[in-house]
Amino acid sequence: MLGALFFAAALTPTLIPRSYLTQGALAGGCFAIGYFAGVLWRRLWHYLELPEPSAHARSVANALVATGCLLVVIFSLWRTAEWQNAIRTVMKMAPVETAHPLKVCAIALITFLVLLVLGRLFVLIARFLAARIRRVIPRKVANVIGVLVAGLLFWSIASNVLIRTAFNALDSSFRELDVLLEPERPQPTAADRTGSSASLVKWKELGRMGRRFIASGPTAAEISAITGRPAQEPVRVYVGLAVRDTAQARARLALDELKRQHGFERKLLIVITPTGTGWIDPAAMDTVEYLHHGDVASVAMQYSYLNSPLSLLFQPEYGAEAARALFVEIYGYWTTLPKDKRPKLYLHGLSLGALNSEKSAELFEMIGDPIAGALWSGPPFESRNWRSIKDNRNPASPAWLPEFRDGRFVRFMNQNGPTVPADAPWGPMRVVYLQYASDAITFFAYRDAYRPPAWMSAPRGPDVAPELRWYPIVTMLQLALDMAVATNTPMGFGHVYAPEHYVDAWVAVTDVGDWSAEALAQLKQQLAAKARTTTTGHADDDPDRGG
């Protein structure tokens, strides 16, 4: 009964549309959890020697429950396509005609059987250990010790053997991918570009994501073609992971390369913390370069070969260490420059980059000479500063788009822009969080297992289906799966941030004042069209999206 209820709940919508493969795996896993809870309850009842119903009563109850479970499963499978289309509707995606219920059932059954075999294996090992221990200590104590020892054995095998082996294989794979030279990105010939023959950073040492960042981006001519005004060539500096052995050495090299390209003579200087693989969202950086007519310098440093989820799991300290090292070098030199001649200094990061960028700067060291601000998009749920501000938001504001005090220090934005009026005064430092209500990477929480999250309360975000409901344990697992597929959405939803939304964010952060409302609207339209002709907005078209 519990397994069927968990199975049905797993088919209901959450934040991200699911394929029949992920839907079946999730439903099978949830069925296994419900089944395990029922078995555990029955064994606990028997272990405590509580009275049990008669065989006749059990037979009648089992027949009724089995019939009810079958009806629940059939009903939930019948509604699955409708539930998935509820998510697709708010994301402006074409509806699906079927959710492939037979395939979902087959995958769920396979998932359940695998988990059942593992569970039975655990029980056998626990019983074997308990039988050996029972020779010297009482039976009930031996049973408890057997379960604990079996649990430690399974955990040790999973963490030290399976996970470590998988990590080494993935790290090697990503490392080999990182060194591949893509023929469509030739080495820059201009001496003032990173990776050129005159650069302090060699083209081969940039890594695949570094080469992509340096070779992409708008030129002065492309910026002028859209803005109709004179423009400069943006300065982009990137240091790959293979250049130096330590984060401090790579940061010093990045500073030297930035000086060589006269980056401190630009109007804006942005310190970027990339995602796990070193990927930098072009929707973010292209936008700010257009807004400021190319008078922008940006600097970034790679800290991992793994993608963001794997980097966060296996190397959580690497990103923070690298981000901190780069900020210390850039900020330290920036503070020595005359205040009226140096650029405005900003921080930026997406996803894991936002989390590590938050950690890179310490408020107390900047009180006497603060930076101009920061734009952090899609901050992960583990971001402490973001979570603290969200939890202490003004009571009338929703969790998916908070308002914090009078909005002088920090503001939140989504697809519809900020809630604070654009002409509201700022303090000396501007911080903007760009986030979508449908981004599970931002709004996941472990406590969703036992209580509904605040962002589910009315009013809901514009990209959250009204059919979404909370279920104990199941909702947390659904959101965990949503995190894994958060980039499988159209641009402007989930964890795929659109350039037109970055326009509003950068306008607020960098105090853009030389653009009319009509010109900004036209820029948004052009950047959105450009982004969607490069990719249709799905992760399948750009496997590196999201890092």
Side-chain angles (χ1 to χ4, degrees):
M1 179 183 69
L2 288 177
L5 292 176
F6 274 49
F7 176 91
L11 298 179
T12 61
T14 45
L15 295 178
I16 306 295
R18 293 190 287 267
S19 66
Y20 68 84
L21 180 62
T22 55
Q23 187 71 83
L26 175 66
C30 289
F31 185 93
I33 292 174
Y35 179 84
F36 167 74
V39 171
L40 185 64
W41 173 259
R42 185 185 65 185
R43 293 195 176 185
L44 179 63
W45 187 280
H46 179 74
Y47 190 79
L48 296 175
E49 299 179 355
L50 297 173
E52 299 185 7
S54 65
H56 176 71
R58 290 175 61 185
S59 298
V60 173
N62 285 343
L64 293 175
V65 168
T67 303
C69 289
L70 183 61
L71 293 175
V72 166
V73 169
I74 293 174
F75 175 77
S76 60
L77 288 171
W78 173 64
R79 291 287 307 276
T80 302
E82 178 184 345
W83 285 332
Q84 288 302 302
N85 283 332
I87 313 175
R88 300 175 72 89
T89 298
V90 297
M91 292 189 177
K92 300 178 175 60
M93 300 173 66
V96 294
E97 296 181 359
T98 177
H100 304 283
L102 295 180
K103 293 180 180 178
V104 169
C105 286
I107 295 169
L109 180 60
I110 293 172
T111 303
F112 169 71
L113 290 177
V114 170
L115 294 175
L116 181 65
V117 169
L118 290 175
R120 295 286 171 85
L121 180 61
F122 178 87
V123 171
L124 289 176
I125 293 175
R127 285 178 175 175
F128 174 80
L129 294 172
R132 296 296 181 271
I133 300 172
R134 200 177 300 150
R135 299 173 180 175
V136 293
I137 59 177
R139 178 176 62 87
K140 292 187 177 182
V141 177
N143 291 340
V144 173
I145 294 176
V147 171
L148 293 177
V149 173
L152 290 174
L153 179 63
F154 268 62
W155 173 257
S156 177
I157 293 174
S159 61
N160 295 328
V161 179
L162 298 180
I163 293 180
R164 185 53 51 183
T165 301
F167 166 73
N168 291 334
L170 289 168
D171 185 60
S172 176
S173 176
F174 277 100
R175 187 188 301 267
E176 292 178 3
L177 180 64
D178 189 69
V179 300
L180 292 178
L181 292 173
E182 296 167 302
E184 66 271 20
R185 294 191 176 88
Q187 180 179 358
T189 56
D192 59 350
R193 297 287 298 277
T194 301
S196 67
S197 57
S199 173
L200 302 177
V201 185
K202 304 308 178 186
W203 182 244
K204 291 184 178 180
E205 296 174 335
L206 280 174
R208 193 167 63 96
M209 294 303 181
R211 289 187 289 272
R212 168 179 287 202
F213 176 64
I214 296 300
S216 63
T219 63
E222 290 172 338
I223 295 173
S224 294
I226 288 184
T227 63
R229 305 180 193 179
Q232 301 182 54
E233 293 287 347
V235 172
R236 291 189 171 192
V237 173
Y238 193 99
V239 175
L241 186 57
V243 178
R244 296 288 187 273
D245 293 333
T246 65
Q248 289 72 22
R250 292 193 295 273
R252 286 191 292 271
L253 180 62
L255 174 62
D256 292 339
E257 177 68 11
L258 189 62
K259 291 179 185 178
R260 189 188 72 84
Q261 296 190 40
H262 306 286
F264 288 95
E265 300 174 13
R266 294 305 179 99
K267 179 183 176 182
L268 270 66
L269 173 57
I270 303 174
V271 180
I272 309 169
T273 303
T275 60
T277 58
W279 183 78
I280 296 173
D281 191 353
M285 297 315 301
D286 293 1
T287 300
V288 70
E289 289 168 350
Y290 277 105
L291 284 171
H292 291 276
H293 315 289
D295 197 5
V296 178
S298 55
V299 56
M301 191 172 76
Q302 187 181 19
Y303 54 84
S304 173
Y305 296 115
L306 299 174
N307 60 28
S308 289
L310 293 173
S311 182
L312 183 62
L313 179 63
F314 294 115
Q315 302 170 327
E317 72 284 356
Y318 287 7
E321 178 189 1
R324 175 64 180 164
L326 182 60
F327 175 80
V328 167
E329 290 292 335
I330 301 299
Y331 179 77
Y333 179 78
W334 178 79
T335 55
T336 65
L337 302 176
K339 292 187 178 181
D340 59 339
K341 294 183 179 180
R342 68 190 185 187
K344 291 184 177 180
L345 183 59
Y346 296 92
L347 301 179
H348 171 64
L350 162 70
S351 192
L352 184 61
L355 183 149
N356 290 322
S357 183
E358 274 190 353
K359 297 178 180 179
S360 69
E362 296 180 1
L363 180 61
F364 293 110
E365 71 182 342
M366 298 189 301
I367 288 179
D369 197 0
I371 64 173
L375 170 56
W376 290 313
S377 48
F381 67 97
E382 290 284 4
S383 302
R384 292 184 180 179
N385 292 343
W386 170 85
R387 187 168 61 245
S388 175
I389 294 170
K390 177 182 69 72
D391 292 343
N392 292 280
R393 66 188 182 276
N394 297 343
S397 62
W400 48 271
L401 194 62
E403 294 180 13
F404 185 71
R405 298 179 184 173
D406 60 358
R408 287 180 176 268
F409 174 68
V410 60
R411 297 178 188 179
F412 292 81
M413 295 186 179
N414 66 352
Q415 297 96 329
N416 301 324
T419 57
V420 180
D423 58 353
W426 279 94
M429 185 163 59
R430 305 181 177 202
V431 176
V432 168
Y433 286 99
L434 177 61
Q435 59 189 45
Y436 298 151
S438 56
D439 190 349
I441 292 176
T442 296
F443 290 103
F444 173 84
Y446 294 106
R447 61 175 177 266
D448 295 343
Y450 57 87
R451 71 178 186 186
W455 54 265
M456 279 192 182
S457 302
R460 289 184 174 179
D463 46 344
V464 175
E467 289 83 355
L468 190 151
R469 298 290 183 272
W470 175 81
Y471 300 97
I473 301 176
V474 174
T475 295
M476 185 198 72
L477 295 176
Q478 288 177 313
L479 293 174
L481 178 62
D482 285 347
M483 285 198 295
V485 296
T487 57
N488 293 355
T489 62
M491 187 172 287
F493 300 96
H495 201 58
V496 184
Y497 288 83
E500 60 267 32
H501 305 146
Y502 271 116
V503 169
D504 291 328
W506 281 121
V507 166
V509 173
T510 61
D511 193 21
V512 176
D514 60 345
W515 287 72
S516 65
E518 294 77 13
L520 285 175
Q522 185 178 6
L523 177 65
K524 290 180 184 179
Q525 184 178 5
Q526 290 173 319
L527 292 178
K530 180 181 178 181
R532 287 162 176 80
T533 53
T534 304
T535 168
T536 60
H538 288 77
D540 291 341
D541 304 308
D542 184 1
D544 296 317
R545 175 164 293 281

